[in-house]
């Protein structure tokens, strides 16, 4: 349930901010407009926010700076350590993941960036079903992540990465659980959400589901 990739983030923690903020190398396009993507998530969030995959706390800080209450969920101890140093006592960061987190009451928005692809489509469906039961009418799921308009676009992205010599990127695309918009739209709508997708860059889309 996503934790099979945990070792990657334990090792990546120290250089994560340099990667996502520097926009260099193979992942330049994946993280293009990173700050704007975070701002887009913040603008669509309200009330008490539950953030999955806090990482080093970049989105968390923006949410707090915009006056939102945040409870962070992060499975990587190294990532939590960096986020806690960055954020201080402004937020509580809990060891957990998309499925396993302590009972939290009175929340309004689930958010996540660059993390939902660690779940298979079946696990994504299970997670969204759970969130749909927890959220009240008007509650939101606001996730920004790599996804594709079709299976053909997904396959073409892998081919392009290989042609450009981006072998690490190609390997990520082939081994992690990237989804397509039709699949995730159906999951959200089947669980009582109205959903809107907004393209952020060549890889990342912002999905906003509002509970009906």
């Amino acid at each position: 349930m996503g934790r099979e990739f945990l070792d990657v983030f334990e090792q990546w923690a120290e250089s994560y901010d340099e990667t996502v903020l520097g926009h260099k190398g193979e992942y330049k396009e994946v993280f293009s407009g990173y700050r704007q993507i975070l701002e887009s998530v913040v603008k669509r969030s309200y009330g008490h926010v539950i953030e999955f995959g806090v990482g080093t706390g970049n989105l968390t800080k923006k949410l707090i700076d915009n006056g939102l209450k945040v409870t962070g969920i992060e499975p990587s101890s190294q990532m939590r350590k960096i986020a806690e140093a960055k954020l201080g006592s402004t937020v509580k960061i809990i060891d957990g993941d998309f499925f396993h987190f302590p009972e939290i009451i009175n929340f309004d928005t689930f958010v996540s960036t660059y993390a939902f692809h660690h779940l298979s489509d079946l696990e994504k469906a299970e997670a969204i079903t759970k969130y749909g039961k927890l959220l009240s009418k008007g509650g939101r799921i606001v996730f920004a992540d790599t996804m594709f308009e079709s299976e053909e676009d997904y396959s073409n992205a892998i081919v392009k990465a290989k042609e450009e010599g981006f072998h690490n990127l190609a390997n990520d695309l082939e081994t992690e659980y990237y989804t397509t918009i039709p699949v995730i739209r159906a999951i959200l709508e089947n669980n009582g959400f109205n959903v809107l997708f907004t393209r952020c860059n060549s890889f990342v889309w912002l999905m906003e589901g509002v509970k009906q």
Side-chain angles (χ1 to χ4, degrees):
M1 293 186 175
R3 290 205 176 223
E4 62 264 40
F5 303 105
L6 187 56
D7 285 348
V8 173
F9 289 92
E10 293 284 81
Q11 297 168 18
W12 194 11
E14 290 295 335
S15 61
Y16 182 82
D17 282 350
E18 181 182 352
T19 301
V20 301
L21 296 171
H23 307 321
K24 296 178 181 179
E26 296 185 36
Y27 296 91
K28 179 179 180 180
E29 184 54 37
V30 176
F31 293 107
S32 176
Y34 177 74
R35 291 178 177 85
Q36 290 76 20
I37 290 169
L38 301 189
E39 291 289 354
S40 294
V41 173
V42 172
K43 288 177 182 177
R44 290 164 172 80
S45 303
Y46 80 101
H48 182 186
V49 179
I50 309 301
E51 181 187 358
F52 294 113
V54 166
T56 59
N58 295 325
L59 173 60
T60 323
K61 187 175 189 307
K62 287 183 177 293
L63 290 164
I64 292 168
D65 288 348
N66 276 267
L68 296 168
K69 177 183 178 181
V70 183
T71 299
I73 312 294
E74 173 55 55
S76 166
S77 61
Q78 293 302 312
M79 288 288 194
R80 288 199 306 273
K81 186 183 301 183
I82 293 171
E84 287 165 352
K86 183 183 295 183
L87 301 168
S89 61
T90 59
V91 62
K92 183 178 182 180
I93 303 175
I94 301 168
D95 181 9
D97 56 42
F98 284 105
F99 288 99
H100 305 105
F101 50 93
E103 182 177 347
I104 302 166
I105 60 172
N106 299 325
F107 55 86
D108 306 287
T109 311
F110 287 117
V111 303
S112 181
T113 54
Y114 293 92
F116 206 40
H117 60 272
H118 297 140
L119 303 185
S120 68
D121 282 347
L122 286 175
E123 290 171 339
K124 289 183 180 74
E126 184 180 343
I128 288 173
T129 298
K130 179 173 184 175
Y131 308 154
K133 293 176 180 177
L134 292 172
L135 286 168
S136 301
K137 184 177 180 180
R140 299 177 187 176
I141 300 174
V142 186
F143 287 1
D145 198 12
T146 293
M147 60 185 76
F148 299 91
E149 292 184 89
S150 67
E151 287 291 343
E152 181 180 5
D153 287 341
Y154 187 1
S155 297
N156 289 341
I158 295 170
V159 171
K160 182 180 178 183
K162 290 179 177 178
E163 290 176 345
E164 293 176 338
F166 295 163
H167 301 298
N168 291 322
L169 175 59
N171 182 67
D172 285 346
L173 291 172
E174 289 184 309
T175 56
E176 298 195 33
Y177 305 119
Y178 297 99
T179 194
T180 62
I181 288 175
V183 168
I184 203 72
R185 181 188 296 278
I187 292 171
L188 284 159
E189 290 179 348
N190 288 340
N191 283 281
F193 289 88
N194 280 348
V195 59
L196 178 67
F197 292 89
T198 305
R199 187 159 207 161
C200 301
N201 60 38
S202 297
F203 289 88
V204 175
W205 289 76
L206 179 73
M207 72 173 201
E208 178 186 8
V210 180
K211 182 70 182 294
Q212 300 304 297

